[in-house]
Amino acid sequence: MQHLIISAHPNENSFSNALAEALAKRSRHNDIDAVIRNLYEVDFNPILTKKDLSKIKEGTVPEDIAREQEILNDSEVISLIYPLWWGSFPAILKGYFDRVLTNGFAFKITTDGPEGLLKGKKAFLHTTMGNSIEEYENKGILKAFRQIHGQEVFGFCGIEVAGHLFYPHISDSSTDMKNKYIEEALGFYKTVLPDEEVVNSVKR
Ligand SMILES: Cc1cc2nc3c(=O)[nH]c(=O)nc-3n(C[C@H](O)[C@H](O)[C@H](O)COP(=O)(O)O)c2cc1C
């Protein structure tokens, strides 16, 4: 089994990247291959161009997209870790979805409507944020984040959204709190990562 961990935080010392490492370590401890794709580290090009669109339409996917699609295809479990920026994904992550989840790879349009092509995979989403969870709950948009970030992307492609966690006030959280968040996050993977070796020693 392969676990793809997509991380979209530019700072290698961020909580996001600590969580990515903890998930990779726990996966390997469970004999699951872990692949971390830190989109900044791999310098992912997020701009979907006219040229890309015409190549995709012809069935000749650009090489950098094909590489990401192959990794995605080979992964049964997908973790997505990102900071909430303007209520949404960082641009590099939005561009990853724009360019990698192409028509013909991630979904197809049938006479009965769109059909997801990535069935049998599970996705876990992790959203760090500056605000509190209550603030978004009170505004009535926490549910919208779950829907738009989870179902409208992964669900649309046939991927089961197995969990979506939010981490409030992350920049102001203590190391103890961040470690607690990581333990809680790992707990969400019990069905796919049952072996619970303690792996976190976050000093961020
Ligand atoms: C460009 C930008 C936009 C942001 N927009 C939001 C937002 O809409 N809601 C929110 O709760 N936090 C927002 N934040 C705060 C980040 O979510 C927060 O800094 C991040 O989750 C992780 O913190 P870290 O960068 O200290 O690891 C924003 C931060 C930046 C840099």
Side-chain angles (χ1 to χ4, degrees), residues 9-11 13-17 82-88 127-132 135-136 145 167-172 178:
H9 195 296
N11 183 352
N13 293 320
S14 60
F15 170 80
S16 294
N17 288 320
Y82 61 97
L84 190 70
W85 282 2
W86 299 113
S88 188
T127 310
T128 69
M129 47 202 233
N131 286 325
S132 65
E135 179 161 346
Y136 286 120
F145 289 156
Y167 306 85
H169 303 305
I170 201 69
S171 314
D172 303 327
K178 289 177 182 173

Side-chain angles (χ1 to χ4, degrees), residues 2 17 60 66 69 89 104 108 111 125 128-129 131-132 139 141 154 171 173 189 193:
Q2 183 166 285
N17 288 320
T60 51
Q69 289 182 340
F89 305 115
K108 66 179 178 185
T111 46
L125 279 72
T128 69
M129 47 202 233
N131 286 325
S132 65
K139 284 181 184 166
I141 53 179
F154 294 98
S171 314
S173 297
Y189 288 77
L193 303 173

